[in-house]
């Protein structure tokens, strides 16, 4: 290891007994972990993780660490958010070194904010460690720039998983911004969302990318258009986790791949 990296590793924070680190594990590929998350994996004696955390990341844990799964899996009832925060508090009070590991960034559609509030209210010392959120990683891995001068000035990160209640999303308002939309948890409601965007005036031929299992061995990328994206994702049996990007930035991929074909380093 080069000296500068050794020095950086030696300066990483120490996970003390009784403390909780609320960390993002990134989109899957362990190469996209932060050094701080890696330090947490090396020091934690209990790791409480979600279904989205890649097994290759969990494999980097300290050999003595125990794992607790907290999340949805295979239709079985998932622990409630209150149960999870109670468990984190109990583990910390029992003087464990606790790593709460979530896919992507802990605070982007990941309930990291809620968990931090609960830990703070209970007086548990904690640290929040950012991770690479899947919405951004999926675009980049698919050779779609999140922003491009002259194409977009903003990027909308939005959940497709929300009801009609107080969390209801005004898709028409988002469409009218003419800025690209990056949908998390979007597959299930995609028919409703695509219809609402088109009803608000978005071009039916607006390019769409679906990136499933970004940076994982099962990664799949589909490039399509708004009016046929629902039929195609069904036909090709796209499954969660997937990021759906809608907007002109998606067109850059084809250009980039055509050009990159001429250089040695290929892109996804
Ligand atoms: N905190 C996470 C998001 C959790 S919400 C983050 O910052 O990435 C769960 C949604 O994230 C999934 O439904 C999917 O839309 C997205 N997601 C998470 N990991 C993904 C991956 N590797 N590839 C594609 N989408 C992913």
């Amino acid at each position: 290891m080069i000296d500068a990296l050794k020095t950086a590793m030696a300066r990483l924070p120490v996970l003390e007994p009784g403390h909780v680190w609320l960390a993002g594990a990134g989109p899957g590929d362990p190469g996209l972990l932060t050094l701080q998350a890696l330090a947490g994996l090396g020091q934690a004696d209990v790791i409480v993780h979600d279904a989205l955390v890649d097994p290759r990341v969990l494999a980097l844990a300290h050999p003595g660490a125990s794992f607790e799964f907290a999340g949805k899996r295979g239709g079985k009832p998932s622990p409630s958010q209150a149960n999870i925060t109670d468990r984190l508090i109990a583990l910390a009070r029992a003087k464990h070194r606790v790593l709460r590991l979530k896919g992507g960034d802990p605070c982007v559609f990941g309930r990291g904010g809620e968990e931090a509030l609960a830990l703070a209210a209970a007086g548990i010392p904690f640290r929040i460690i950012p991770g690479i959120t899947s919405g951004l990683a999926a675009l980049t891995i698919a050779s779609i720039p999140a922003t491009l001068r002259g194409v977009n000035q903003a990027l909308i990160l939005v959940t497709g998983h929300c009801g009609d209640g107080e969390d209801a999303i005004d898709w028409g308002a988002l469409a009218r911004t003419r800025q690209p939309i990056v949908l998390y948890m979007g597959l299930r409601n995609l028919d409703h969302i695509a219809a609402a965007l088109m009803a608000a005036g978005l071009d039916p031929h607006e390019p769409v990318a679906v990136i499933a299992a970004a940076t994982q061995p099962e990664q799949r990328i589909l490039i399509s258009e708004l009016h046929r994206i629902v039929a195609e994702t069904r036909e090709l049996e796209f499954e969660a986790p997937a990021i759906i990007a809608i907007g002109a930035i998606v067109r850059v991929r084809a250009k980039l791949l055509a050009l990159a074909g001429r250089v040695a380093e290929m892109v996804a």
Side-chain angles (χ1 to χ4, degrees):
M1 210 190 298
I2 56 168
D3 287 348
L5 183 55
K6 266 191 206 153
T7 312
M9 298 288 291
R11 286 192 186 139
L12 289 168
V14 174
L15 174 49
E16 309 274 359
H19 290 213
V20 178
W21 283 8
L22 204 53
D29 182 344
L32 298 174
L33 271 177
T34 63
L35 293 182
Q36 290 195 5
L38 188 61
L41 281 159
Q43 297 177 79
D45 47 46
V46 185
I47 298 171
V48 183
H49 66 96
D50 285 351
L52 280 173
V53 178
D54 194 290
R56 293 169 299 172
V57 166
L58 295 177
L60 298 171
H62 183 270
S66 66
F67 296 93
E68 293 192 11
F69 175 72
K72 296 193 177 75
R73 185 182 275 167
K76 289 191 195 138
S78 53
S80 72
Q81 193 58 47
N83 286 347
I84 296 170
T85 47
D86 286 353
R87 182 68 186 145
L88 294 176
I89 292 165
L91 286 168
R93 292 206 170 126
K95 294 290 169 223
H96 289 290
R97 297 178 174 86
V98 185
L99 179 65
R100 171 67 171 127
L101 200 56
K102 290 163 175 287
D105 183 280
C107 296
V108 178
F109 304 124
R111 306 260 191 152
E114 287 94 320
E115 291 179 20
L117 285 167
L119 292 169
I124 305 291
F126 67 94
R127 172 188 288 270
I128 309 179
I129 299 172
I132 301 184
T133 190
S134 58
L136 298 180
L139 292 186
T140 305
I141 212 79
S143 305
I144 299 168
T147 66
L148 198 71
R149 281 176 68 125
V151 175
N152 64 317
Q153 297 70 40
L155 189 72
I156 299 168
L157 304 186
V158 59
T159 173
H161 178 81
C162 69
D164 306 325
E166 60 182 54
D167 273 354
I169 294 164
D170 184 346
W171 295 103
L174 298 187
R176 283 187 289 278
T177 65
R178 294 289 185 262
Q179 300 294 329
I181 293 171
V182 175
L183 259 181
Y184 289 68
M185 298 171 271
L187 278 179
R188 190 175 304 168
N189 286 338
L190 192 54
D191 48 355
H192 164 73
I193 295 166
L197 292 173
M198 286 187 281
L202 216 60
D203 184 353
H205 297 290
E206 192 76 4
V208 179
V210 183
I211 304 115
T215 84
Q216 296 171 0
E218 326 77 71
Q219 175 177 293
R220 295 171 78 195
I221 300 175
L222 167 67
I223 306 294
S224 179
E225 293 182 344
L226 194 52
H227 68 100
R228 54 187 168 87
I229 189 65
V230 174
E232 286 188 8
T233 47
R234 283 195 188 139
E235 212 174 293
L236 297 168
E237 297 180 350
F238 266 71
E239 284 174 6
I243 288 293
I244 302 168
I246 306 167
I249 50 169
V250 172
R251 285 201 190 95
V252 181
R253 171 180 161 85
K255 271 191 210 164
L256 198 56
L257 289 186
L259 293 169
R262 298 191 219 136
V263 295
E265 179 101 0
M266 264 308 286
V267 282

